[in-house]
Amino acid sequence: MPSPALAPPPAAPAGPAPGPLTRPTLLALCACVLVAQSMVAAINLLIPQLAASALHPSATELLWTVDAYVIVFAGLLIPAGALGDRRGRKGVLLAGLALFAAGAAISALATSPALLIAGRGVSGAGAACVMPATMSILVRLAGPERRAGALASWTLAVGLGGLAGNAGGGAVGQFLSWRALFWLMVPLAAVLAWTVAVTVPRTERSPDGRPDPRGTLLLVAALVALLAGVIEGPALGWTSPRILALFAAGTALTGLFTWYALRSPAALLDPRVFRSRRLRAAVLGTATGFFGLFSLFYVNAQYLQYVKGYGPALTGLAIVPLTIGMALFPKVATRWQAASGPRPAVATGLLLIGAGLLAVSTAGADTPYALYACLLLVISAGTGLCMPALTVGVVTSLPAAQAGLGSGLGTSAREIGAALGVAVTGTVLAAHGADARAGSFADAMSPALRTAGAVVLAVTVLVVLGYRGGAGGRTASGA
């Protein structure tokens, strides 16, 4: 009997069809993405101020202040995407913005580290609703002829969100209190919610509206355990009992979820979707690209402050060159993808990311900033080339009625890749004795980025092989 996730979706129930994708709708959805993604990075530049604040957080509490958002965000992406498909994407998006604002308010008012961590987790849950809902609405409104361009804009918003988080967090860290960052998010989320309510039409729901609470619980628990192990591994040691227990729990829960989903008539995520070579390649490629990008993000702020002597605000602005390639190359990638299929753009983009990391690994105290900015442009161009094709590859590998689930799956791959990039880079830095001294950090940064670049280049071979054959041809481009 064929899997429900693989079978062609039944006709949607009768109802008003959503209008075409308009520019105000596209801008509103991309703005939501940018803000949700910015809070992943912004907190990193406030760690020194938080450590010296009246909250007096311990080292572990500081770690969880950063990680609570990421773990909850990544753990809930797939269930939130499926919830939007089944219960209404616009409603889930508005609920996500409300949760995001509530979490920011809790963080701003926090009188203890526990409240700050809780607020970060609530905001992460809101972001998990925002990201897949925005992408699936774009997919439903754009139609096949405009899908690749719309998803290129969505991908650009994700990249700009990371850069906005660095720039905004740096500015707040230098000129304002850390609480100001969270207070700014509350009215901003309210404005975005009003804009979404006015400009974004409702889309039809999936005909399969049955929830899957057991599958959701198993999958979320598995993802949270695995992500917690990856994120805390560099600090606690990869062979520590706590990390081994988290990985063991995550593996067991993943196996249990797979067993359950294969037998469920309405699984949250049917594992048989991964029979598609193109889906496997797109998910792996997405994780690989963000692995490389966040390896760079992790060392970049420290390199610019410890080695080059920049302040927090200037550090946030110094990575602006990364926006250029992300802004210019998605349009090039969309045309290239439409003409030649996704494989050339994916291969070239990932190769540029890997080669760029190897080039940045040679930077030291004497490296001129102009040269460093050019190396950032190489990585930026690679990201702009490959991410639109990879995003389309994930979303279009599932039936149109499961666009939210597909977007949640793709965004989960991004966050898992990002977490792995930070973990691997942090581990290599620690192994080489990196500290705040310029010479020490520069010496440790080189092997860390060489390792990340080598991983990206090696996995790129597997991704390109996954795009071989008909599944990777022009019909798969989504354009």
Side-chain angles (χ1 to χ4, degrees):
M1 180 178 177
S3 162
L6 298 177
L21 179 63
T22 63
R23 183 172 293 274
T25 301
L26 178 63
L27 292 176
L29 294 174
C30 288
C32 293
V33 171
L34 189 152
V35 171
Q37 189 69 28
S38 70
M39 289 301 283
V40 175
I43 194 70
N44 291 314
L45 288 105
L46 298 179
I47 293 300
Q49 193 182 105
L50 278 169
S53 71
L55 297 182
H56 302 298
S58 66
T60 301
E61 288 167 337
L62 280 173
L63 180 67
W64 276 101
T65 299
V66 175
D67 295 345
Y69 186 92
V70 177
I71 290 175
V72 176
F73 179 27
L76 292 179
L77 280 166
I78 294 176
L83 180 65
D85 289 336
R86 297 177 178 187
R87 299 302 186 198
R89 300 174 181 93
K90 182 176 179 179
V92 168
L93 173 55
L94 291 171
L97 290 170
L99 277 174
F100 183 85
I106 293 171
S107 298
L109 294 168
T111 55
S112 68
L115 275 178
L116 177 60
I117 293 168
R120 289 278 292 166
V122 172
S123 287
C129 294
V130 168
M131 298 294 282
T134 51
M135 186 194 288
S136 56
I137 291 172
L138 284 177
V139 169
R140 302 299 289 174
L141 295 181
E145 67 282 352
R146 297 181 61 195
R147 182 178 297 147
L151 291 181
S153 298
W154 189 94
T155 303
L156 172 61
V158 173
L160 293 180
L163 299 174
N166 278 284
V172 169
Q174 186 150 346
F175 301 115
L176 300 170
S177 162
W178 62 267
R179 295 182 189 273
L181 174 69
F182 298 108
W183 280 127
L184 287 171
M185 294 298 110
V186 177
L188 182 56
V191 170
L192 289 175
W194 177 83
T195 306
V196 167
V198 171
T199 64
V200 178
R202 294 190 179 274
T203 58
E204 70 277 14
R205 303 178 185 180
S206 169
D208 181 9
R210 289 175 291 176
D212 183 18
R214 294 177 184 173
T216 300
L217 180 62
L218 287 172
L219 183 60
V220 170
L223 287 172
V224 167
L226 291 171
L227 281 167
V230 168
I231 290 171
E232 293 196 31
L236 299 179
W238 294 104
T239 58
S240 70
R242 181 174 177 179
I243 297 303
L244 293 177
L246 285 169
F247 283 142
T251 303
L253 288 166
T254 301
L256 187 58
F257 169 78
T258 302
W259 176 85
Y260 167 81
L262 290 172
R263 288 157 179 78
S264 173
L268 173 70
L269 173 64
D270 192 324
R272 283 166 286 207
V273 298
F274 289 101
R275 289 174 178 170
S276 166
R277 178 193 291 180
R278 181 164 62 91
L279 177 61
R280 294 197 305 269
V283 169
L284 181 61
T286 300
T288 302
F290 270 70
F291 173 94
L293 196 59
F294 272 74
S295 295
L296 173 69
F297 283 166
Y298 185 72
V299 303
N300 180 74
Q302 298 177 77
Y303 166 76
L304 292 173
Q305 292 181 83
Y306 299 157
V307 180
K308 302 297 285 183
Y310 294 177
L314 184 57
T315 296
L317 293 175
I319 59 171
V320 167
L322 275 171
T323 64
I324 298 174
M326 292 181 187
L328 298 179
F329 280 85
K331 291 185 177 181
V332 176
T334 300
R335 298 191 188 100
W336 195 3
Q337 184 182 351
S340 305
R343 188 164 59 154
V346 168
T348 304
L350 291 178
L351 286 172
L352 285 175
I353 293 173
L357 289 171
L358 295 179
V360 174
S361 73
T362 64
D366 297 330
T367 303
Y369 174 74
L371 174 59
Y372 185 76
C374 290
L375 300 181
L376 295 184
L377 283 172
V378 173
I379 298 174
S380 174
T383 305
L385 278 176
C386 68
M387 283 304 158
L390 291 167
T391 302
V392 170
V394 175
V395 174
T396 58
S397 293
L398 295 174
Q402 294 181 325
L405 178 61
S407 59
L409 179 60
T411 311
S412 292
R414 293 169 185 267
E415 298 307 317
I416 292 170
L420 284 171
V422 171
V424 170
T425 307
T427 299
V428 178
L429 285 173
H432 286 79
D435 56 34
R437 293 175 299 163
S440 170
F441 188 83
D443 290 343
M445 183 182 81
S446 181
L449 288 183
R450 282 202 306 269
T451 301
V455 169
V456 170
L457 293 175
V459 180
T460 297
V461 176
L462 300 177
V463 174
V464 174
L465 289 174
Y467 273 98
R468 291 180 64 183
R474 299 183 186 182
T475 58
S477 70

